[in-house]
Amino acid sequence: MTAQALPPVGHDPLIVALARYVEALHRRYPDGPDQLRREGLDARAKVSEMVTIQKVTAA
């Protein structure tokens, strides 16, 4: 989506902001997800295993 192709006024601002964000990501990382992974920016690579917390119940 370019500046000339922005949706007309009255569209959901969240959708417009999301479209701008995706466009900026595409400009910054033109190779897509592969480039993110190569640069170590893929968030999934940083997710650690979840720990189960045991809750103590009153007797």
mmCIF file of all heavy atoms in Angstrom:
data_model
loop_
_atom_site.group_PDB
_atom_site.id
_atom_site.type_symbol
_atom_site.label_atom_id
_atom_site.label_comp_id
_atom_site.label_asym_id
_atom_site.label_seq_id
_atom_site.Cartn_x
_atom_site.Cartn_y
_atom_site.Cartn_z
ATOM 1 N N MET A 1 0.855 -1.165 0.000
ATOM 2 C CA MET A 1 0.000 0.000 0.000
ATOM 3 C C MET A 1 0.902 1.230 0.000
ATOM 4 O O MET A 1 1.744 1.373 0.863
ATOM 5 C CB MET A 1 -0.888 -0.042 1.238
ATOM 6 C CG MET A 1 -2.007 0.939 1.212
ATOM 7 S SD MET A 1 -3.015 0.784 2.718
ATOM 8 C CE MET A 1 -4.326 -0.183 2.081
ATOM 9 N N THR A 2 0.752 2.110 -0.944
ATOM 10 C CA THR A 2 1.550 3.328 -0.994
ATOM 11 C C THR A 2 0.744 4.481 -0.464
ATOM 12 O O THR A 2 -0.448 4.360 -0.212
ATOM 13 C CB THR A 2 1.990 3.614 -2.442
ATOM 14 O OG1 THR A 2 0.826 3.849 -3.227
ATOM 15 C CG2 THR A 2 2.782 2.454 -3.030
ATOM 16 N N ALA A 3 1.391 5.643 -0.332
ATOM 17 C CA ALA A 3 0.689 6.821 0.181
ATOM 18 C C ALA A 3 -0.502 7.163 -0.701
ATOM 19 O O ALA A 3 -1.536 7.612 -0.223
ATOM 20 C CB ALA A 3 1.643 8.001 0.267
ATOM 21 N N GLN A 4 -0.382 6.928 -1.998
ATOM 22 C CA GLN A 4 -1.489 7.221 -2.904
ATOM 23 C C GLN A 4 -2.595 6.182 -2.787
ATOM 24 O O GLN A 4 -3.726 6.448 -3.140
ATOM 25 C CB GLN A 4 -1.009 7.254 -4.366
ATOM 26 C CG GLN A 4 -0.046 8.371 -4.666
ATOM 27 C CD GLN A 4 1.392 8.039 -4.272
ATOM 28 O OE1 GLN A 4 1.722 6.896 -3.997
ATOM 29 N NE2 GLN A 4 2.240 9.051 -4.183
ATOM 30 N N ALA A 5 -2.288 5.014 -2.280
ATOM 31 C CA ALA A 5 -3.265 3.927 -2.236
ATOM 32 C C ALA A 5 -3.893 3.758 -0.854
ATOM 33 O O ALA A 5 -4.535 2.756 -0.601
ATOM 34 C CB ALA A 5 -2.608 2.625 -2.664
ATOM 35 N N LEU A 6 -3.695 4.723 0.034
ATOM 36 C CA LEU A 6 -4.295 4.609 1.364
ATOM 37 C C LEU A 6 -5.811 4.576 1.251
ATOM 38 O O LEU A 6 -6.385 5.229 0.379
ATOM 39 C CB LEU A 6 -3.881 5.786 2.251
ATOM 40 C CG LEU A 6 -2.441 5.765 2.743
ATOM 41 C CD1 LEU A 6 -2.138 7.034 3.519
ATOM 42 C CD2 LEU A 6 -2.177 4.556 3.593
ATOM 43 N N PRO A 7 -6.460 3.822 2.117
ATOM 44 C CA PRO A 7 -7.915 3.751 2.053
ATOM 45 C C PRO A 7 -8.548 5.101 2.338
ATOM 46 O O PRO A 7 -7.963 5.936 3.024
ATOM 47 C CB PRO A 7 -8.286 2.738 3.123
ATOM 48 C CG PRO A 7 -7.067 2.455 3.882
ATOM 49 C CD PRO A 7 -5.898 3.019 3.158
ATOM 50 N N PRO A 8 -9.735 5.319 1.821
ATOM 51 C CA PRO A 8 -10.415 6.594 2.054
ATOM 52 C C PRO A 8 -10.699 6.806 3.539
ATOM 53 O O PRO A 8 -10.754 5.859 4.320
ATOM 54 C CB PRO A 8 -11.729 6.459 1.289
ATOM 55 C CG PRO A 8 -11.696 5.170 0.583
ATOM 56 C CD PRO A 8 -10.491 4.409 1.008
ATOM 57 N N VAL A 9 -10.893 8.058 3.923
ATOM 58 C CA VAL A 9 -11.205 8.396 5.311
ATOM 59 C C VAL A 9 -12.497 7.679 5.697
ATOM 60 O O VAL A 9 -13.411 7.551 4.905
ATOM 61 C CB VAL A 9 -11.368 9.925 5.464
ATOM 62 C CG1 VAL A 9 -11.779 10.285 6.877
ATOM 63 C CG2 VAL A 9 -10.079 10.624 5.073
ATOM 64 N N GLY A 10 -12.555 7.195 6.916
ATOM 65 C CA GLY A 10 -13.741 6.490 7.372
ATOM 66 C C GLY A 10 -13.470 5.018 7.604
ATOM 67 O O GLY A 10 -14.258 4.334 8.221
ATOM 68 N N HIS A 11 -12.329 4.521 7.103
ATOM 69 C CA HIS A 11 -11.969 3.135 7.375
ATOM 70 C C HIS A 11 -11.413 3.027 8.787
ATOM 71 O O HIS A 11 -10.944 3.999 9.370
ATOM 72 C CB HIS A 11 -10.932 2.635 6.365
ATOM 73 C CG HIS A 11 -11.544 2.244 5.056
ATOM 74 N ND1 HIS A 11 -11.909 0.959 4.764
ATOM 75 C CD2 HIS A 11 -11.871 2.974 3.978
ATOM 76 C CE1 HIS A 11 -12.427 0.918 3.560
ATOM 77 N NE2 HIS A 11 -12.418 2.140 3.047
ATOM 78 N N ASP A 12 -11.439 1.848 9.301
ATOM 79 C CA ASP A 12 -10.972 1.591 10.656
ATOM 80 C C ASP A 12 -9.508 2.013 10.800
ATOM 81 O O ASP A 12 -8.642 1.535 10.071
ATOM 82 C CB ASP A 12 -11.118 0.094 10.938
ATOM 83 C CG ASP A 12 -10.825 -0.271 12.377
ATOM 84 O OD1 ASP A 12 -10.231 0.560 13.103
ATOM 85 O OD2 ASP A 12 -11.196 -1.375 12.774
ATOM 86 N N PRO A 13 -9.197 2.910 11.740
ATOM 87 C CA PRO A 13 -7.817 3.371 11.904
ATOM 88 C C PRO A 13 -6.854 2.247 12.272
ATOM 89 O O PRO A 13 -5.676 2.306 11.945
ATOM 90 C CB PRO A 13 -7.888 4.412 13.019
ATOM 91 C CG PRO A 13 -9.293 4.485 13.469
ATOM 92 C CD PRO A 13 -10.122 3.571 12.639
ATOM 93 N N LEU A 14 -7.343 1.224 12.948
ATOM 94 C CA LEU A 14 -6.482 0.098 13.293
ATOM 95 C C LEU A 14 -6.022 -0.628 12.038
ATOM 96 O O LEU A 14 -4.857 -0.997 11.910
ATOM 97 C CB LEU A 14 -7.220 -0.862 14.228
ATOM 98 C CG LEU A 14 -6.439 -2.095 14.658
ATOM 99 C CD1 LEU A 14 -5.188 -1.692 15.425
ATOM 100 C CD2 LEU A 14 -7.306 -2.997 15.501
ATOM 101 N N ILE A 15 -6.929 -0.813 11.082
ATOM 102 C CA ILE A 15 -6.584 -1.486 9.829
ATOM 103 C C ILE A 15 -5.571 -0.651 9.055
ATOM 104 O O ILE A 15 -4.599 -1.173 8.505
ATOM 105 C CB ILE A 15 -7.850 -1.741 8.975
ATOM 106 C CG1 ILE A 15 -8.844 -2.623 9.743
ATOM 107 C CG2 ILE A 15 -7.487 -2.354 7.639
ATOM 108 C CD1 ILE A 15 -8.314 -3.978 10.140
ATOM 109 N N VAL A 16 -5.776 0.658 9.016
ATOM 110 C CA VAL A 16 -4.852 1.549 8.314
ATOM 111 C C VAL A 16 -3.470 1.485 8.964
ATOM 112 O O VAL A 16 -2.452 1.369 8.276
ATOM 113 C CB VAL A 16 -5.393 2.995 8.295
ATOM 114 C CG1 VAL A 16 -4.366 3.952 7.715
ATOM 115 C CG2 VAL A 16 -6.691 3.066 7.511
ATOM 116 N N ALA A 17 -3.419 1.518 10.298
ATOM 117 C CA ALA A 17 -2.145 1.448 11.010
ATOM 118 C C ALA A 17 -1.462 0.108 10.777
ATOM 119 O O ALA A 17 -0.241 0.050 10.582
ATOM 120 C CB ALA A 17 -2.366 1.683 12.505
ATOM 121 N N LEU A 18 -2.221 -0.957 10.779
ATOM 122 C CA LEU A 18 -1.663 -2.280 10.538
ATOM 123 C C LEU A 18 -1.080 -2.375 9.133
ATOM 124 O O LEU A 18 0.014 -2.918 8.933
ATOM 125 C CB LEU A 18 -2.734 -3.355 10.750
ATOM 126 C CG LEU A 18 -2.284 -4.795 10.589
ATOM 127 C CD1 LEU A 18 -1.168 -5.119 11.573
ATOM 128 C CD2 LEU A 18 -3.454 -5.734 10.778
ATOM 129 N N ALA A 19 -1.784 -1.828 8.166
ATOM 130 C CA ALA A 19 -1.289 -1.838 6.783
ATOM 131 C C ALA A 19 0.020 -1.059 6.675
ATOM 132 O O ALA A 19 0.961 -1.497 6.001
ATOM 133 C CB ALA A 19 -2.346 -1.250 5.847
ATOM 134 N N ARG A 20 0.111 0.078 7.351
ATOM 135 C CA ARG A 20 1.354 0.857 7.340
ATOM 136 C C ARG A 20 2.488 0.083 7.993
ATOM 137 O O ARG A 20 3.628 0.117 7.535
ATOM 138 C CB ARG A 20 1.156 2.184 8.066
ATOM 139 C CG ARG A 20 0.321 3.155 7.289
ATOM 140 C CD ARG A 20 0.205 4.453 8.040
ATOM 141 N NE ARG A 20 -0.681 5.373 7.333
ATOM 142 C CZ ARG A 20 -1.302 6.382 7.892
ATOM 143 N NH1 ARG A 20 -1.149 6.622 9.175
ATOM 144 N NH2 ARG A 20 -2.083 7.165 7.180
ATOM 145 N N TYR A 21 2.180 -0.607 9.074
ATOM 146 C CA TYR A 21 3.190 -1.398 9.784
ATOM 147 C C TYR A 21 3.728 -2.514 8.897
ATOM 148 O O TYR A 21 4.936 -2.723 8.786
ATOM 149 C CB TYR A 21 2.573 -1.965 11.060
ATOM 150 C CG TYR A 21 3.479 -2.906 11.823
ATOM 151 C CD1 TYR A 21 4.567 -2.419 12.535
ATOM 152 C CD2 TYR A 21 3.240 -4.272 11.827
ATOM 153 C CE1 TYR A 21 5.393 -3.276 13.236
ATOM 154 C CE2 TYR A 21 4.061 -5.128 12.524
ATOM 155 C CZ TYR A 21 5.139 -4.626 13.223
ATOM 156 O OH TYR A 21 5.962 -5.480 13.916
ATOM 157 N N VAL A 22 2.817 -3.218 8.235
ATOM 158 C CA VAL A 22 3.229 -4.317 7.355
ATOM 159 C C VAL A 22 4.055 -3.775 6.192
ATOM 160 O O VAL A 22 5.064 -4.373 5.802
ATOM 161 C CB VAL A 22 1.995 -5.106 6.857
ATOM 162 C CG1 VAL A 22 2.373 -6.083 5.759
ATOM 163 C CG2 VAL A 22 1.343 -5.828 8.022
ATOM 164 N N GLU A 23 3.653 -2.647 5.654
ATOM 165 C CA GLU A 23 4.405 -2.036 4.559
ATOM 166 C C GLU A 23 5.815 -1.654 5.021
ATOM 167 O O GLU A 23 6.794 -1.882 4.308
ATOM 168 C CB GLU A 23 3.659 -0.804 4.053
ATOM 169 C CG GLU A 23 4.284 -0.188 2.826
ATOM 170 C CD GLU A 23 3.495 1.005 2.333
ATOM 171 O OE1 GLU A 23 3.244 1.919 3.140
ATOM 172 O OE2 GLU A 23 3.134 1.019 1.150
ATOM 173 N N ALA A 24 5.937 -1.102 6.221
ATOM 174 C CA ALA A 24 7.248 -0.731 6.753
ATOM 175 C C ALA A 24 8.113 -1.970 6.981
ATOM 176 O O ALA A 24 9.316 -1.954 6.698
ATOM 177 C CB ALA A 24 7.085 0.053 8.053
ATOM 178 N N LEU A 25 7.514 -3.042 7.483
ATOM 179 C CA LEU A 25 8.263 -4.292 7.660
ATOM 180 C C LEU A 25 8.774 -4.809 6.323
ATOM 181 O O LEU A 25 9.900 -5.282 6.215
ATOM 182 C CB LEU A 25 7.380 -5.367 8.304
ATOM 183 C CG LEU A 25 7.257 -5.346 9.810
ATOM 184 C CD1 LEU A 25 6.285 -6.424 10.268
ATOM 185 C CD2 LEU A 25 8.595 -5.526 10.486
ATOM 186 N N HIS A 26 7.931 -4.726 5.308
ATOM 187 C CA HIS A 26 8.329 -5.210 3.984
ATOM 188 C C HIS A 26 9.490 -4.378 3.427
ATOM 189 O O HIS A 26 10.398 -4.922 2.808
ATOM 190 C CB HIS A 26 7.141 -5.178 3.017
ATOM 191 C CG HIS A 26 7.488 -5.705 1.668
ATOM 192 N ND1 HIS A 26 7.766 -7.029 1.441
ATOM 193 C CD2 HIS A 26 7.631 -5.080 0.478
ATOM 194 C CE1 HIS A 26 8.066 -7.206 0.161
ATOM 195 N NE2 HIS A 26 7.988 -6.028 -0.441
ATOM 196 N N ARG A 27 9.461 -3.067 3.671
ATOM 197 C CA ARG A 27 10.570 -2.229 3.207
ATOM 198 C C ARG A 27 11.850 -2.558 3.967
ATOM 199 O O ARG A 27 12.938 -2.594 3.396
ATOM 200 C CB ARG A 27 10.235 -0.745 3.397
ATOM 201 C CG ARG A 27 9.338 -0.190 2.322
ATOM 202 C CD ARG A 27 9.284 1.331 2.372
ATOM 203 N NE ARG A 27 8.959 1.853 3.692
ATOM 204 C CZ ARG A 27 7.715 2.124 4.111
ATOM 205 N NH1 ARG A 27 6.696 1.928 3.312
ATOM 206 N NH2 ARG A 27 7.509 2.588 5.328
ATOM 207 N N ARG A 28 11.731 -2.797 5.278
ATOM 208 C CA ARG A 28 12.912 -3.061 6.109
ATOM 209 C C ARG A 28 13.465 -4.462 5.875
ATOM 210 O O ARG A 28 14.664 -4.688 5.911
ATOM 211 C CB ARG A 28 12.540 -2.880 7.591
ATOM 212 C CG ARG A 28 13.622 -3.248 8.575
ATOM 213 C CD ARG A 28 14.841 -2.349 8.456
ATOM 214 N NE ARG A 28 15.843 -2.659 9.446
ATOM 215 C CZ ARG A 28 16.845 -3.518 9.264
ATOM 216 N NH1 ARG A 28 16.971 -4.154 8.131
ATOM 217 N NH2 ARG A 28 17.724 -3.738 10.217
ATOM 218 N N TYR A 29 12.586 -5.431 5.659
ATOM 219 C CA TYR A 29 12.987 -6.830 5.477
ATOM 220 C C TYR A 29 12.382 -7.365 4.183
ATOM 221 O O TYR A 29 11.437 -8.158 4.209
ATOM 222 C CB TYR A 29 12.522 -7.681 6.670
ATOM 223 C CG TYR A 29 13.032 -7.158 7.981
ATOM 224 C CD1 TYR A 29 12.199 -6.476 8.861
ATOM 225 C CD2 TYR A 29 14.364 -7.325 8.344
ATOM 226 C CE1 TYR A 29 12.680 -5.986 10.062
ATOM 227 C CE2 TYR A 29 14.847 -6.835 9.543
ATOM 228 C CZ TYR A 29 14.003 -6.165 10.400
ATOM 229 O OH TYR A 29 14.469 -5.680 11.573
ATOM 230 N N PRO A 30 12.921 -6.961 3.040
ATOM 231 C CA PRO A 30 12.326 -7.351 1.759
ATOM 232 C C PRO A 30 12.351 -8.860 1.499
ATOM 233 O O PRO A 30 11.545 -9.362 0.723
ATOM 234 C CB PRO A 30 13.161 -6.591 0.724
ATOM 235 C CG PRO A 30 14.410 -6.206 1.426
ATOM 236 C CD PRO A 30 14.070 -6.106 2.875
ATOM 237 N N ASP A 31 13.246 -9.596 2.184
ATOM 238 C CA ASP A 31 13.280 -11.053 1.999
ATOM 239 C C ASP A 31 12.270 -11.777 2.872
ATOM 240 O O ASP A 31 12.199 -12.998 2.860
ATOM 241 C CB ASP A 31 14.686 -11.596 2.288
ATOM 242 C CG ASP A 31 15.698 -11.139 1.261
ATOM 243 O OD1 ASP A 31 15.281 -10.767 0.146
ATOM 244 O OD2 ASP A 31 16.901 -11.147 1.569
ATOM 245 N N GLY A 32 11.514 -11.029 3.649
ATOM 246 C CA GLY A 32 10.447 -11.611 4.455
ATOM 247 C C GLY A 32 10.942 -12.356 5.675
ATOM 248 O O GLY A 32 11.996 -12.046 6.239
ATOM 249 N N PRO A 33 10.172 -13.356 6.103
ATOM 250 C CA PRO A 33 10.493 -14.097 7.326
ATOM 251 C C PRO A 33 11.878 -14.741 7.310
ATOM 252 O O PRO A 33 12.511 -14.859 8.358
ATOM 253 C CB PRO A 33 9.397 -15.167 7.406
ATOM 254 C CG PRO A 33 8.273 -14.598 6.611
ATOM 255 C CD PRO A 33 8.907 -13.779 5.528
ATOM 256 N N ASP A 34 12.358 -15.146 6.136
ATOM 257 C CA ASP A 34 13.696 -15.747 6.077
ATOM 258 C C ASP A 34 14.757 -14.766 6.560
ATOM 259 O O ASP A 34 15.673 -15.137 7.285
ATOM 260 C CB ASP A 34 14.023 -16.205 4.656
ATOM 261 C CG ASP A 34 13.164 -17.383 4.231
ATOM 262 O OD1 ASP A 34 12.690 -18.118 5.122
ATOM 263 O OD2 ASP A 34 12.962 -17.553 3.025
ATOM 264 N N GLN A 35 14.621 -13.514 6.177
ATOM 265 C CA GLN A 35 15.578 -12.505 6.606
ATOM 266 C C GLN A 35 15.469 -12.265 8.115
ATOM 267 O O GLN A 35 16.479 -12.108 8.800
ATOM 268 C CB GLN A 35 15.355 -11.201 5.846
ATOM 269 C CG GLN A 35 16.385 -10.139 6.157
ATOM 270 C CD GLN A 35 16.211 -8.879 5.336
ATOM 271 O OE1 GLN A 35 15.275 -8.754 4.566
ATOM 272 N NE2 GLN A 35 17.114 -7.943 5.516
ATOM 273 N N LEU A 36 14.249 -12.256 8.634
ATOM 274 C CA LEU A 36 14.074 -12.088 10.084
ATOM 275 C C LEU A 36 14.766 -13.209 10.842
ATOM 276 O O LEU A 36 15.423 -12.986 11.852
ATOM 277 C CB LEU A 36 12.589 -12.059 10.435
ATOM 278 C CG LEU A 36 11.815 -10.817 10.012
ATOM 279 C CD1 LEU A 36 10.324 -11.040 10.233
ATOM 280 C CD2 LEU A 36 12.288 -9.612 10.774
ATOM 281 N N ARG A 37 14.623 -14.431 10.355
ATOM 282 C CA ARG A 37 15.247 -15.572 11.024
ATOM 283 C C ARG A 37 16.767 -15.491 10.945
ATOM 284 O O ARG A 37 17.469 -15.767 11.915
ATOM 285 C CB ARG A 37 14.755 -16.878 10.415
ATOM 286 C CG ARG A 37 13.345 -17.195 10.812
ATOM 287 C CD ARG A 37 12.903 -18.569 10.304
ATOM 288 N NE ARG A 37 11.467 -18.626 10.377
ATOM 289 C CZ ARG A 37 10.648 -18.418 9.350
ATOM 290 N NH1 ARG A 37 11.127 -18.170 8.159
ATOM 291 N NH2 ARG A 37 9.341 -18.466 9.507
ATOM 292 N N ARG A 38 17.290 -15.112 9.763
ATOM 293 C CA ARG A 38 18.743 -15.001 9.608
ATOM 294 C C ARG A 38 19.316 -13.959 10.555
ATOM 295 O O ARG A 38 20.407 -14.126 11.082
ATOM 296 C CB ARG A 38 19.095 -14.608 8.162
ATOM 297 C CG ARG A 38 19.108 -15.755 7.197
ATOM 298 C CD ARG A 38 19.789 -15.371 5.904
ATOM 299 N NE ARG A 38 19.335 -14.105 5.345
ATOM 300 C CZ ARG A 38 18.313 -13.954 4.501
ATOM 301 N NH1 ARG A 38 17.599 -14.994 4.137
ATOM 302 N NH2 ARG A 38 17.989 -12.762 4.043
ATOM 303 N N GLU A 39 18.603 -12.881 10.766
ATOM 304 C CA GLU A 39 19.091 -11.809 11.627
ATOM 305 C C GLU A 39 18.747 -12.058 13.098
ATOM 306 O O GLU A 39 18.999 -11.219 13.952
ATOM 307 C CB GLU A 39 18.529 -10.467 11.156
ATOM 308 C CG GLU A 39 19.046 -10.080 9.783
ATOM 309 C CD GLU A 39 18.575 -8.715 9.319
ATOM 310 O OE1 GLU A 39 18.095 -7.927 10.153
ATOM 311 O OE2 GLU A 39 18.690 -8.441 8.115
ATOM 312 N N GLY A 40 18.130 -13.189 13.394
ATOM 313 C CA GLY A 40 17.811 -13.526 14.777
ATOM 314 C C GLY A 40 16.689 -12.694 15.350
ATOM 315 O O GLY A 40 16.613 -12.512 16.561
ATOM 316 N N LEU A 41 15.807 -12.175 14.500
ATOM 317 C CA LEU A 41 14.733 -11.316 14.981
ATOM 318 C C LEU A 41 13.403 -12.045 15.080
ATOM 319 O O LEU A 41 12.405 -11.447 15.450
ATOM 320 C CB LEU A 41 14.585 -10.108 14.044
ATOM 321 C CG LEU A 41 15.828 -9.236 13.945
ATOM 322 C CD1 LEU A 41 15.636 -8.176 12.885
ATOM 323 C CD2 LEU A 41 16.147 -8.606 15.278
ATOM 324 N N ASP A 42 13.385 -13.308 14.748
ATOM 325 C CA ASP A 42 12.154 -14.083 14.811
ATOM 326 C C ASP A 42 11.829 -14.345 16.274
ATOM 327 O O ASP A 42 12.568 -15.020 16.981
ATOM 328 C CB ASP A 42 12.347 -15.395 14.063
ATOM 329 C CG ASP A 42 11.064 -16.167 13.923
ATOM 330 O OD1 ASP A 42 10.033 -15.733 14.469
ATOM 331 O OD2 ASP A 42 11.082 -17.221 13.266
ATOM 332 N N ALA A 43 10.743 -13.795 16.765
ATOM 333 C CA ALA A 43 10.393 -13.886 18.183
ATOM 334 C C ALA A 43 10.242 -15.332 18.640
ATOM 335 O O ALA A 43 10.518 -15.656 19.786
ATOM 336 C CB ALA A 43 9.117 -13.112 18.465
ATOM 337 N N ARG A 44 9.814 -16.215 17.760
ATOM 338 C CA ARG A 44 9.611 -17.608 18.158
ATOM 339 C C ARG A 44 10.912 -18.253 18.588
ATOM 340 O O ARG A 44 10.917 -19.181 19.372
ATOM 341 C CB ARG A 44 8.982 -18.398 17.021
ATOM 342 C CG ARG A 44 7.551 -17.971 16.733
ATOM 343 C CD ARG A 44 7.022 -18.683 15.532
ATOM 344 N NE ARG A 44 7.782 -18.211 14.384
ATOM 345 C CZ ARG A 44 7.670 -18.707 13.170
ATOM 346 N NH1 ARG A 44 6.858 -19.683 12.939
ATOM 347 N NH2 ARG A 44 8.378 -18.228 12.176
ATOM 348 N N ALA A 45 12.020 -17.757 18.083
ATOM 349 C CA ALA A 45 13.315 -18.336 18.436
ATOM 350 C C ALA A 45 13.699 -18.002 19.871
ATOM 351 O O ALA A 45 14.582 -18.625 20.440
ATOM 352 C CB ALA A 45 14.380 -17.830 17.476
ATOM 353 N N LYS A 46 13.041 -17.032 20.469
ATOM 354 C CA LYS A 46 13.418 -16.577 21.806
ATOM 355 C C LYS A 46 12.442 -17.016 22.890
ATOM 356 O O LYS A 46 12.601 -16.652 24.034
ATOM 357 C CB LYS A 46 13.514 -15.050 21.806
ATOM 358 C CG LYS A 46 14.565 -14.533 20.855
ATOM 359 C CD LYS A 46 14.582 -13.039 20.825
ATOM 360 C CE LYS A 46 15.559 -12.566 19.771
ATOM 361 N NZ LYS A 46 15.519 -11.149 19.578
ATOM 362 N N VAL A 47 11.449 -17.784 22.532
ATOM 363 C CA VAL A 47 10.447 -18.195 23.511
ATOM 364 C C VAL A 47 10.993 -19.377 24.308
ATOM 365 O O VAL A 47 11.394 -20.384 23.754
ATOM 366 C CB VAL A 47 9.123 -18.597 22.820
ATOM 367 C CG1 VAL A 47 8.132 -19.143 23.826
ATOM 368 C CG2 VAL A 47 8.547 -17.411 22.076
ATOM 369 N N SER A 48 11.027 -19.213 25.604
ATOM 370 C CA SER A 48 11.511 -20.296 26.451
ATOM 371 C C SER A 48 10.332 -21.177 26.859
ATOM 372 O O SER A 48 9.178 -20.790 26.753
ATOM 373 C CB SER A 48 12.211 -19.742 27.689
ATOM 374 O OG SER A 48 11.327 -18.920 28.398
ATOM 375 N N GLU A 49 10.651 -22.352 27.345
ATOM 376 C CA GLU A 49 9.614 -23.294 27.768
ATOM 377 C C GLU A 49 8.865 -22.736 28.969
ATOM 378 O O GLU A 49 9.469 -22.162 29.879
ATOM 379 C CB GLU A 49 10.259 -24.628 28.134
ATOM 380 C CG GLU A 49 9.262 -25.715 28.399
ATOM 381 C CD GLU A 49 9.951 -27.048 28.622
ATOM 382 O OE1 GLU A 49 10.991 -27.288 28.010
ATOM 383 O OE2 GLU A 49 9.414 -27.835 29.419
ATOM 384 N N MET A 50 7.565 -22.897 28.980
ATOM 385 C CA MET A 50 6.757 -22.392 30.093
ATOM 386 C C MET A 50 6.944 -23.280 31.321
ATOM 387 O O MET A 50 7.045 -24.481 31.215
ATOM 388 C CB MET A 50 5.282 -22.339 29.700
ATOM 389 C CG MET A 50 5.002 -21.298 28.658
ATOM 390 S SD MET A 50 3.259 -21.047 28.365
ATOM 391 C CE MET A 50 2.730 -20.460 29.949
ATOM 392 N N VAL A 51 6.984 -22.643 32.462
ATOM 393 C CA VAL A 51 7.149 -23.357 33.723
ATOM 394 C C VAL A 51 5.782 -23.464 34.392
ATOM 395 O O VAL A 51 5.042 -22.495 34.462
ATOM 396 C CB VAL A 51 8.134 -22.585 34.651
ATOM 397 C CG1 VAL A 51 8.253 -23.285 35.995
ATOM 398 C CG2 VAL A 51 9.461 -22.425 33.979
ATOM 399 N N THR A 52 5.453 -24.645 34.896
ATOM 400 C CA THR A 52 4.187 -24.839 35.587
ATOM 401 C C THR A 52 4.406 -24.495 37.062
ATOM 402 O O THR A 52 5.303 -25.025 37.727
ATOM 403 C CB THR A 52 3.720 -26.307 35.481
ATOM 404 O OG1 THR A 52 3.629 -26.638 34.099
ATOM 405 C CG2 THR A 52 2.385 -26.499 36.131
ATOM 406 N N ILE A 53 3.593 -23.594 37.562
ATOM 407 C CA ILE A 53 3.695 -23.162 38.957
ATOM 408 C C ILE A 53 2.656 -23.941 39.770
ATOM 409 O O ILE A 53 1.486 -23.939 39.440
ATOM 410 C CB ILE A 53 3.462 -21.649 39.082
ATOM 411 C CG1 ILE A 53 4.523 -20.895 38.299
ATOM 412 C CG2 ILE A 53 3.434 -21.221 40.551
ATOM 413 C CD1 ILE A 53 4.275 -19.411 38.213
ATOM 414 N N GLN A 54 3.124 -24.584 40.814
ATOM 415 C CA GLN A 54 2.245 -25.351 41.685
ATOM 416 C C GLN A 54 1.619 -24.390 42.697
ATOM 417 O O GLN A 54 2.340 -23.701 43.423
ATOM 418 C CB GLN A 54 3.013 -26.440 42.424
ATOM 419 C CG GLN A 54 3.657 -27.451 41.498
ATOM 420 C CD GLN A 54 2.635 -28.296 40.772
ATOM 421 O OE1 GLN A 54 1.538 -28.536 41.267
ATOM 422 N NE2 GLN A 54 2.977 -28.734 39.575
ATOM 423 N N LYS A 55 0.317 -24.347 42.743
ATOM 424 C CA LYS A 55 -0.369 -23.463 43.708
ATOM 425 C C LYS A 55 -0.594 -24.235 45.003
ATOM 426 O O LYS A 55 -0.956 -25.403 44.997
ATOM 427 C CB LYS A 55 -1.713 -23.016 43.158
ATOM 428 C CG LYS A 55 -1.572 -22.085 41.979
ATOM 429 C CD LYS A 55 -2.925 -21.577 41.539
ATOM 430 C CE LYS A 55 -2.764 -20.645 40.367
ATOM 431 N NZ LYS A 55 -4.045 -20.100 39.944
ATOM 432 N N VAL A 56 -0.361 -23.543 46.104
ATOM 433 C CA VAL A 56 -0.579 -24.141 47.424
ATOM 434 C C VAL A 56 -2.003 -23.817 47.838
ATOM 435 O O VAL A 56 -2.403 -22.650 47.839
ATOM 436 C CB VAL A 56 0.421 -23.580 48.455
ATOM 437 C CG1 VAL A 56 0.155 -24.167 49.835
ATOM 438 C CG2 VAL A 56 1.841 -23.853 47.998
ATOM 439 N N THR A 57 -2.767 -24.851 48.158
ATOM 440 C CA THR A 57 -4.152 -24.630 48.583
ATOM 441 C C THR A 57 -4.242 -24.700 50.098
ATOM 442 O O THR A 57 -3.479 -25.415 50.751
ATOM 443 C CB THR A 57 -5.091 -25.669 47.960
ATOM 444 O OG1 THR A 57 -4.642 -26.961 48.320
ATOM 445 C CG2 THR A 57 -5.113 -25.542 46.453
ATOM 446 N N ALA A 58 -5.152 -23.957 50.651
ATOM 447 C CA ALA A 58 -5.337 -23.964 52.109
ATOM 448 C C ALA A 58 -5.941 -25.296 52.547
ATOM 449 O O ALA A 58 -6.786 -25.861 51.874
ATOM 450 C CB ALA A 58 -6.257 -22.814 52.527
ATOM 451 N N ALA A 59 -5.529 -25.773 53.720
ATOM 452 C CA ALA A 59 -6.012 -27.067 54.215
ATOM 453 C C ALA A 59 -7.341 -26.934 54.904
ATOM 454 O O ALA A 59 -7.792 -25.995 55.382
ATOM 455 C CB ALA A 59 -4.998 -27.673 55.159
#
